[in-house]
Amino acid sequence: MSDRVVRSPIEVVSSIGSTNTELLARCGRGEAVREGSWLVADRQTAGRGRLGREWYDGAGNFMGSTVVALNGGDPAAHTLALVAALAVYETIAAALADTRRLMLKWPNDVLWEGAKIAGILLERQGDTVVAGIGVNLARAPQIDGMATASLADMGVHVARDALAQELAHQFAVCLALWRGSGLVEIVSRWIARGPARGTLLSASVPGEGAVTGRYAGLGPDGSLRLSLADGRERAIYAGEVAMIAGEGDD
């Protein structure tokens, strides 16, 4: 891992229901949870992912959460999904000799050869956002309909605590960019690590169903842009995104 890591306060617990739930509860009780601090668990008994999915509790994997205190001049809070994705990407990239098969999928999936290697869940409470992150270090879960991978599958072995320090550093760097560039640099970096333009994607838009189109990058607001068959460009602000079979894997 990088020798440039700036150490952040990292609290490690042996077992907890959910690191996200615990940090949200601490904030709700008015406890001072400093931005940049992390809560990391050896084991989660009630971990959660996006859309209410169970967050896989794999021994040896990374499971942790951190807090972002929103300020008046910050970009839109939901764009922290891009920040978290970039931080995880850079953390994993630091452990790899070859990153060509590592890719981001909007808004915050990190894929290795099309297989999901990390999960991210953001939850907001007032002016606080808790970012929960799971990285498959030692083993990948078996999930119906979804390809998964772990760093160990690639022959890469990273200690959980070393990854925690690198992730804390990368998250702080990306957060500073998010605040300093007004999303410009975050969007630019995300696009450089995302799919090839023209990749066929399907977005399940809430209340509308599937929207299929060719990937056309991100908008300046962080939205996903799809080129539709009729020539129009569509901005997607929320939804599950899948790569169409034959052009990538979900």
Side-chain angles (χ1 to χ4, degrees):
M1 309 301 286
S2 170
D3 60 2
R4 299 174 294 102
V5 171
V6 175
R7 290 190 173 272
S8 298
I10 298 176
E11 176 188 354
V12 178
V13 294
S14 60
S15 180
I16 200 169
S18 160
T19 54
N20 260 33
T21 299
E22 174 61 21
L23 288 186
L24 287 168
R26 292 180 186 182
C27 292
R29 293 193 295 266
E31 296 181 25
V33 182
R34 184 160 71 88
E35 182 174 281
S37 61
W38 287 75
L39 177 63
V40 174
D42 295 335
R43 182 169 182 266
Q44 286 191 138
T45 59
R48 293 169 290 114
R50 292 185 65 227
L51 303 178
R53 298 188 184 105
E54 182 179 353
W55 191 329
Y56 176 68
D57 177 11
N61 289 345
F62 173 85
M63 293 160 280
S65 300
T66 190
V67 167
V68 177
L70 299 174
N71 301 319
D74 287 342
H78 70 267
T79 60
L80 283 168
L82 306 179
V83 172
L86 275 175
V88 174
Y89 179 101
E90 297 298 346
T91 299
I92 294 173
L96 302 178
D98 183 356
T99 62
R100 287 175 294 179
R101 290 174 285 178
L102 189 66
M103 187 188 76
L104 293 175
K105 179 166 72 71
W106 191 88
N108 57 12
D109 279 340
V110 184
L111 308 180
W112 170 263
E113 292 187 326
K116 190 168 182 176
I117 195 170
I120 297 170
L121 175 66
L122 272 65
E123 297 182 283
R124 181 172 179 174
Q125 181 172 275
D127 290 331
T128 298
V129 173
V130 174
I133 296 171
V135 181
N136 299 333
L137 298 180
R139 55 184 53 82
Q142 299 298 314
I143 302 175
D144 289 341
M146 180 182 294
T148 59
S150 72
L151 281 172
D153 293 336
M154 310 170 199
V156 177
H157 300 281
V158 178
R160 193 277 310 276
D161 291 348
L163 182 124
Q165 288 290 348
E166 181 74 7
L167 179 57
H169 168 68
Q170 295 292 352
F171 197 96
V173 169
C174 292
L175 189 63
L177 284 173
W178 179 74
R179 288 196 166 119
S181 71
L183 266 193
V184 173
E185 187 65 20
I186 291 295
V187 167
S188 175
R189 293 189 182 202
W190 196 104
I191 290 172
R193 294 153 179 77
R197 285 183 179 266
T199 298
L200 191 60
L201 302 177
S202 176
S204 298
V205 179
E208 182 176 346
V211 176
T212 300
R214 300 278 175 181
Y215 172 67
L218 303 187
D221 57 358
S223 60
L224 173 67
R225 299 302 171 95
L226 295 179
S227 294
L228 307 182
D230 61 9
R232 292 181 298 130
E233 186 170 282
R234 172 73 184 272
I236 304 295
Y237 294 95
E240 286 287 289
V241 175
M243 296 182 183
I244 303 299
E247 307 222 7
D249 298 309
D250 189 12

